[in-house]
Amino acid sequence: MRVPYTKAHGSMNDFLLTRSADVPSGDMHELAKAICHRHAGVGADGWLIVSPGDSECTAAIQLINSDGSDSEMSGNGTRCAAAFLLSDGRPEVDQLVIRTGAGLKHLLVLNHSGNEWRFEMNMGKAYYTKEEVRALLPVASGPLDVTILNVGNPQCAVFVTDFDMDWRKLGAEIEWHPRFPKRTNVSFVRPVDRHSIEVRFWERGAGETMSSGTGSTGAAFAALLRGVVDSPVRVETPAGVLNLRLEQEEILLTGPAEIIAAGEFNWKRGEK
């Protein structure tokens, strides 16, 4: 069975996109694991199913992680969906509205060159409690001082002085921690100066990623809550820079999205 896809990435956080009309019947979660597999599939951090819009939005997207689990949204993935929509022969527009599992997200087109776009995306508001700004999370190595919040999906920010540690192992432990019944995304945050942080990402359902839109948002907002940075915030990821600023209580995140490939995946239904 052939499944068409377009591949895009936002700061090397990569996604496969397929229109809902082209998705075969059957277990979409098994298909997501197959098509996203780095060796036996096309390879991606997640699969985005793009559905037609309505009176409120340009389009709607459903995100399934590379391990077959569902996710509310991805900041980088939503920008990739916007690039996919704009590359599909529709008239050039300045703004798009995309419905995600975390609600409607508004994107402003800042510039466009070839197959790459740059967007400012309204990530919405962050949700947290006062007790979660500095929470002690029991892990194997002892109590860990973290910030817990939700920016459309769950986030746990760990502040570090450097990355000379097995943060991947710790990220996997935190992802599956009993404190998070639906698992969590984890960011390791190193403050650089009053307007910059450096971050490493361990994402729920995908593991280590080169970048993360929601992870950058969670990390930057956690740093703002702790008073170690001021808006605007430059987020330095292994794949480049994302920029975040506050506009009243709304969080605006700026970053790229690029279309890099298209093709068909030969799916053998029933094979894991």
Side-chain angles (χ1 to χ4, degrees):
M1 182 176 299
R2 294 182 176 180
V3 182
Y5 69 85
T6 295
K7 184 165 184 175
H9 78 95
S11 298
M12 296 190 191
N13 191 191
D14 58 341
F15 299 89
L16 303 171
L17 302 100
T18 302
R19 291 195 174 276
S20 56
D22 295 324
V23 176
S25 60
D27 191 340
M28 293 191 302
H29 298 84
E30 288 301 323
L31 173 51
K33 289 195 289 185
I35 196 171
C36 290
H37 197 284
R38 291 291 180 185
H39 302 289
V42 180
D45 292 324
W47 185 36
L48 286 162
I49 301 167
V50 184
S51 300
D54 53 31
S55 60
E56 291 186 311
C57 63
T58 312
I61 56 175
Q62 176 185 355
L63 171 58
I64 306 178
N65 294 317
S66 58
D67 72 347
S69 61
D70 292 303
S71 182
E72 298 88 347
M73 67 166 287
S74 161
N76 290 340
T78 304
R79 293 201 315 276
C80 287
F84 172 73
L85 293 167
L86 291 174
S87 71
D88 199 29
R90 68 177 57 219
E92 192 76 21
V93 295
D94 293 330
Q95 299 185 54
L96 300 94
V97 181
I98 297 179
R99 186 184 303 280
T100 73
L104 295 174
K105 301 300 173 183
H106 295 254
L107 297 98
L108 175 67
V109 181
L110 299 180
N111 54 60
H112 166 224
S113 177
N115 291 318
E116 184 170 1
W117 285 260
R118 189 167 184 83
F119 299 97
E120 182 177 73
M121 176 176 167
N122 188 329
M123 301 293 289
K125 299 178 181 179
Y127 296 91
Y128 60 94
T129 65
K130 185 181 296 184
E131 294 73 26
E132 291 173 327
V133 174
R134 287 186 176 271
L136 288 180
L137 187 71
V139 296
S141 58
L144 192 64
D145 179 22
V146 302
T147 297
I148 299 169
L149 66 163
N150 191 297
V151 294
N153 58 23
Q155 300 285 331
C156 180
V158 183
F159 286 80
V160 298
T161 55
D162 57 54
F163 302 108
D164 189 19
M165 54 183 284
D166 194 350
W167 59 266
R168 297 171 183 85
K169 180 179 179 180
L170 182 56
E173 180 184 356
I174 296 172
E175 176 191 357
W176 290 93
H177 196 280
R179 169 65 178 75
F180 308 106
K182 294 184 178 181
R183 296 191 284 167
T184 189
N185 299 282
V186 188
S187 58
F188 295 87
V189 187
R190 185 183 76 87
V192 176
D193 57 39
R194 290 303 305 182
H195 290 283
S196 303
I197 57 174
E198 186 180 2
V199 189
R200 299 292 183 268
F201 304 98
W202 184 270
E203 292 206 82
R204 177 185 60 170
E208 179 184 0
T209 58
M210 297 293 288
S211 176
S212 170
T214 53
S216 294
T217 302
F221 198 84
L224 287 164
L225 286 174
R226 287 186 172 228
V228 297
V229 296
D230 300 308
S231 176
V233 183
R234 172 186 168 95
V235 183
E236 300 173 2
T237 81
V241 173
L242 296 174
N243 293 286
L244 177 145
R245 66 184 178 90
L246 292 182
E247 191 169 281
Q248 296 180 340
E249 294 186 349
E250 302 291 311
I251 305 169
L252 302 176
L253 184 71
T254 297
E258 182 180 10
I259 304 296
I260 55 174
E264 293 182 328
F265 173 62
N266 295 320
W267 183 40
K268 299 177 182 178
R269 190 194 299 271
E271 289 194 7
K272 303 294 178 70

